[in-house]
């Protein structure tokens, strides 16, 4: 057996008060007796004046003390751990957002401390308790569900913070779906950021919610961002530094070009303020090959926000030449990017004109040069991309495409690839399309139901993409997926065709200085926490009611008092309170 509350033990002080009332109560009273009885009772009257003799055979006092003990025991919420019919259900929700990398103390981060506390909680759970572990960063995910404590603690140890912003509001959907049909369920949250705690138990109002606050204070200075501007003197980098601490700080800020230090500046930032730092201009090619990274020199409570990076790319507008007999859908899709200018022509001979170079050439069904007109590819920029739509023959003998067949009235599906992100599960109908042998330098993006390749992209000395169908012969152009696909395809084809470096920066604005958990959320409904096994609180309250009824019957028979109505009212109120408690209304 276990108890969940110890504070009711304070009411044990009432037991001596009950005994004291009986000690002070006048037992002997003046009564008229005949002379023959006087000497027979005189000894009893003398003994009655001895205080402790008043306690002998006083069943009312013992019944009242027992009733008080029953009430105190019921308030302690006793539970039979073995033989109970209600199984313990626990949902552990652990915040893994970027701010949990903050130092909690000299040894642990907020996340590490949360994991340690969660493991202690697991050890304290009853055997066979059903536990679900939910991690929550930028989104929530179920990490473990079961009864094996060893596996659960292993999964807790595997939790890591990510460079993502988030709070436990994002876990509300998963938690509510988990607890909807659960009985005797506890939700235990570990977080450093305030959130709408009531949202986690909307589907189960009887769930106990406990929020463990792991917020901690420390000296922290963040590097908010790094950026650059380009002029005649070169590329000038700048960054912003914010001091979230309570002391002024002076630090060196290093600027790295790829992995090499190119400049160091010193900055002093007052407590609670920000400063912008400018670096010496550098001669940097704006072709995507350079990464600028600014980094603070000193460690603090949150090292993850001490650096920021950015890729150096040209801000010059891109130019696309659309060679087509007219395709409004394609033209609109190519023009969605404000940094792109689309030029149109219906004459392939525009390639013979000199003085104009484009970043992407789009050939939309317009007649290509024959075999005797080779050399047109030399008129195209060295790194310019090429996009072919609805072609069954190669361009200028460059082996960009090799037709394998032709299908009609088919369904085409997008393949998973960088240019089909978010639309890889989409399919569309087609009246006619060419299929191709997939080159060894290319990656398929569109296939029919038989697996034939109807579209692909890749790099063959320059970025190249081939789509075997006319946009007008599909319903794709009318769908929201079309502009998404064309935008992502053009990102690969425009310019050099190099994929941009993947840069993940700390989300400073959301995570470097989070709002701590509110006082109400910390308390939660901890007083209503229940553990596994059979709760016997109501059984004890029922015994208390029966005891109070028996005590009143004995009182009526033994005591002749004019205040019986008042005493009955008091006992009725007490019994009403016990009944309301059994109904969980008190």
């Amino acid at each position: 057996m276990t108890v969940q509350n110890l504070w009711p033990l304070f009411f044990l002080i009432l037991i001596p008060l009950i005994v004291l009332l009986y000690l002070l109560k006048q037992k002997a009273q003046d009564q008229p007796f005949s002379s023959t009885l006087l000497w027979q009772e005189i000894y009893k009257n003398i003994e009655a004046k001895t205080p402790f003799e008043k306690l002998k055979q006083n069943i009312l006092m013992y019944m009242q003390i027992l009733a008080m003990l029953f009430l105190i025991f019921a308030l302690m919420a006793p539970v039979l751990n073995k033989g109970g019919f209600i199984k313990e259900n626990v949902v552990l929700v652990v915040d893994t957002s970027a701010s949990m990398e903050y130092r909690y103390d000299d040894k642990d981060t907020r996340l590490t401390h949360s994991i340690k506390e969660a493991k202690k909680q697991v050890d304290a759970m009853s055997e066979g308790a059903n536990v679900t572990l939910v991690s929550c960063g930028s989104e929530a995910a179920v990490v473990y569900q079961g009864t094996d404590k060893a596996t659960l603690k292993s999964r807790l140890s595997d939790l890591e913070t990510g460079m993502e912003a988030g709070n436990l509001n994002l876990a509300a959907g998963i938690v509510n779906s988990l607890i909807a049909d659960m009985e005797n369920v506890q939700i235990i949250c570990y977080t450093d950021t305030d959130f709408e705690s009531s949202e986690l138990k909307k589907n189960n109002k009887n769930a106990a919610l406990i929020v463990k606050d792991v917020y901690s204070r420390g000296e922290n200075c963040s590097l908010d961002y790094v950026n650059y501007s380009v002029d005649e003197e070169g590329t000038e980098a700048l960054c912003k530094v914010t001091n979230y601490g309570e002391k002024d700080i002076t630090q060196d800020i290093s600027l790295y070009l790829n992995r090499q230090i190119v400049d160091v500046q010193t900055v002093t930032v007052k407590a609670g303020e920000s400063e912008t730092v400018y670096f010496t201009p550098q001669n940097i090619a704006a072709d995507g090959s350079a990464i600028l990274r600014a980094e603070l020199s000193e460690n603090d409570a949150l090292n993850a926000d001490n650096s920021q990076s950015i890729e150096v790319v040209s801000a010059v507008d891109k130019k696309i030449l659309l060679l087509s007999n007219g395709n409004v859908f394609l033209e609109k899709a190519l023009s969605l990017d404000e940094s792109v200018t689309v030029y149109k022509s219906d004459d392939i001979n525009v390639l013979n004109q000199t003085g104009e170079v484009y970043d992407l050439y789009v050939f939309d069904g317009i007649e290509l040069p024959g075999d005797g007109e080779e050399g047109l590819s030399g008129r195209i920029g060295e790194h310019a991309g090429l996009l072919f739509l609805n072609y069954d023959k190669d361009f200028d003998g460059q082996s960009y495409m090799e037709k394998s067949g032709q299908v009609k009235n088919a369904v085409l599906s997008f393949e998973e690839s960088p240019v089909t992100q978010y639309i890889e599960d989409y399919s569309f109908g087609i009246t006619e399309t060419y299929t191709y042998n997939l080159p060894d330098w290319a990656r398929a993006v569109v296939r029919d139901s038989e697996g034939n390749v109807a579209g692909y992209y890749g790099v063959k000395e320059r970025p190249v993409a081939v789509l075997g169908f006319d946009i007008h012969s599909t319903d794709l152009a009318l769908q929201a997926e079309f502009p998404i696909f064309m935008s992502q395809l053009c990102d690969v084809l425009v310019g050099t065709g190099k994929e941009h470096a993947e840069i993940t920066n700390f989300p400073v604005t959301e995570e470097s200085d989070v709002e701590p958990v509110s006082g109400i959320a910390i308390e939660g409904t901890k007083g209503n926490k229940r553990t596994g096994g059979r709760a016997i609180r109501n059984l004890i309250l029922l015994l208390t009611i029966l005891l109070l009824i028996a005590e009143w019957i004995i009182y009526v028979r033994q005591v002749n008092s004019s205040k019986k109505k008042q005493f009955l009212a008091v006992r009725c109120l007490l019994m009403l309170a016990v009944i309301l408690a059994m109904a969980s209304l008190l």
Side-chain angles (χ1 to χ4, degrees), residues 47-329:
E47 289 297 321
K49 294 179 181 179
T50 305
F52 291 101
E53 284 295 323
K54 298 178 182 180
L55 302 181
K56 288 182 179 181
Q57 298 179 351
N58 199 329
I59 189 171
L60 286 177
M61 181 189 69
Y62 295 121
M63 293 181 73
Q64 290 167 4
I65 291 175
L66 185 59
M68 179 61 67
L69 290 174
F70 276 0
L71 288 174
I72 293 173
F73 191 45
L75 288 174
M76 295 174 70
V79 174
L80 293 176
N81 290 331
K82 297 181 179 180
F85 61 91
I86 300 178
K87 189 174 183 180
E88 181 181 9
N89 293 291
V90 181
V91 179
L92 299 176
V93 187
V94 181
D95 188 347
T96 57
S97 61
S99 62
M100 294 291 282
E101 193 65 23
Y102 204 102
R103 302 299 300 180
Y104 183 81
D105 53 30
D106 293 338
K107 295 181 179 180
D108 299 327
T109 64
R110 293 172 179 172
L111 178 62
T112 307
H113 178 74
S114 297
I115 292 173
K116 289 182 177 180
E117 291 299 307
K119 287 182 178 179
K120 293 179 183 178
Q121 183 68 42
V122 170
D123 289 334
M125 293 176 189
S126 61
E127 293 300 326
N130 183 48
V131 187
T132 303
L133 175 60
V134 177
S135 66
C136 185
S138 59
E139 58 183 19
V142 175
V143 178
Y144 174 78
Q145 191 168 30
T147 60
D148 187 352
K149 290 186 177 182
T151 302
L152 173 58
K153 290 195 284 188
S154 176
R155 297 292 174 83
L156 279 166
S157 298
D158 292 339
L159 293 180
E160 295 179 348
T161 55
M163 299 287 263
E164 304 163 334
N167 59 54
L168 295 196
N169 288 332
L170 302 172
I174 285 182
V175 173
N176 276 295
S177 64
L178 289 170
I179 68 172
D181 300 321
M182 285 185 180
E183 295 183 4
N184 192 34
V185 57
Q186 301 174 55
I187 308 167
I188 306 176
C189 304
Y190 299 85
T191 184
D192 62 344
T193 309
D194 198 17
F195 68 103
E196 294 294 333
S197 57
S198 60
E199 293 296 311
L200 264 66
K201 48 179 292 186
K202 288 176 64 176
N203 288 357
N204 191 335
K205 299 299 184 182
N206 293 324
L209 175 62
I210 304 170
V211 179
K212 302 288 189 178
D213 179 26
V214 295
Y215 181 85
S216 54
R217 291 294 301 173
E219 295 296 323
N220 180 42
C221 192
S222 71
L223 206 155
D224 299 353
Y225 63 79
V226 60
N227 212 329
Y228 62 90
S229 60
V230 181
D231 55 27
E232 296 86 359
E233 297 182 2
T235 301
E236 183 182 24
L238 69 153
C239 66
K240 180 183 177 183
V241 183
T242 300
N243 182 5
Y244 295 104
E246 299 177 353
K247 302 177 182 178
D248 298 351
I249 61 99
T250 298
Q251 285 203 42
D252 291 335
I253 305 177
S254 302
L255 178 67
Y256 291 81
L257 175 58
N258 295 327
R259 296 185 178 183
Q260 182 179 0
I261 271 190
V262 293
D263 194 16
V264 177
Q265 299 289 332
T266 302
V267 62
T268 298
V269 187
K270 294 182 178 180
E273 297 186 5
S274 301
E275 294 289 342
T276 301
V277 179
Y278 295 88
F279 296 96
T280 305
Q282 306 291 324
N283 185 17
I284 302 173
D287 59 0
S289 62
I291 303 293
L292 285 176
R293 177 167 59 91
E295 184 175 293
L296 296 172
S297 60
E298 301 292 334
N299 293 331
D300 52 29
L302 182 59
N303 291 328
D305 65 357
N306 286 2
S307 68
Q308 296 283 327
S309 301
I310 190 171
E311 183 181 19
V312 181
V313 294
S314 174
V316 178
D317 288 348
K318 299 294 183 179
K319 296 188 295 183
I320 297 178
L321 176 61
L322 173 59
L323 294 165
S324 173
N325 288 320
N327 193 328
V328 175
F329 298 117

Side-chain angles (χ1 to χ4, degrees), residues 414-580:
F414 285 118
E415 291 270 293
E416 183 177 352
S417 71
V419 302
T420 57
Q421 190 176 11
Y422 311 117
I423 60 171
E424 51 267 80
D425 295 328
Y426 179 73
S427 299
F428 57 95
I430 189 81
T431 58
E432 186 178 46
T433 182
Y434 296 114
T435 59
Y436 307 94
N437 295 322
L438 183 65
D440 56 6
W441 48 265
R443 181 170 183 171
V445 292
V446 184
R447 293 182 188 266
D448 67 6
S449 57
E450 302 297 325
N452 299 309
V453 177
Y456 56 88
Y457 79 100
V459 177
K460 187 180 186 297
E461 298 166 353
R462 68 172 77 244
V464 178
V466 177
L467 300 176
F469 49 86
D470 183 354
I471 297 297
H472 295 96
S473 66
T474 78
D475 59 354
L476 175 62
L478 301 177
Q479 307 303 319
E481 287 78 7
F482 178 62
I484 296 174
F485 170 62
M486 291 306 303
S487 174
Q488 295 177 156
L489 182 60
C490 286
D491 282 344
V492 174
L493 297 177
V494 170
T496 63
K498 295 180 180 178
E499 293 187 2
H500 295 294
E502 293 187 5
I503 297 175
T504 303
N505 287 320
F506 189 91
V508 173
T509 304
E510 302 92 342
E511 298 293 305
S512 286
D513 189 29
V514 297
E515 182 180 356
V517 179
S518 65
I520 295 177
I522 295 173
E523 294 299 328
T525 54
K526 189 174 181 180
N528 295 329
K529 175 183 173 182
R530 297 182 294 174
T531 57
R534 182 174 182 178
I536 59 173
R537 174 173 173 267
N538 284 354
L539 177 61
I540 297 172
L541 291 176
L542 179 61
L543 292 175
T544 304
I545 292 176
L546 296 176
L547 185 62
L548 289 174
I549 294 173
E551 187 268 347
W552 174 250
I553 294 173
I554 295 174
Y555 177 82
V556 170
R557 291 182 176 181
Q558 287 189 358
V559 179
N560 183 20
S561 173
S562 60
K563 298 182 179 181
K564 284 186 178 181
K565 292 184 178 180
Q566 293 92 318
F567 292 152
L568 177 61
V570 172
R571 284 170 172 78
C572 287
L573 289 175
L574 180 58
M575 291 179 64
L576 177 62
V578 173
I579 294 172
L580 291 176

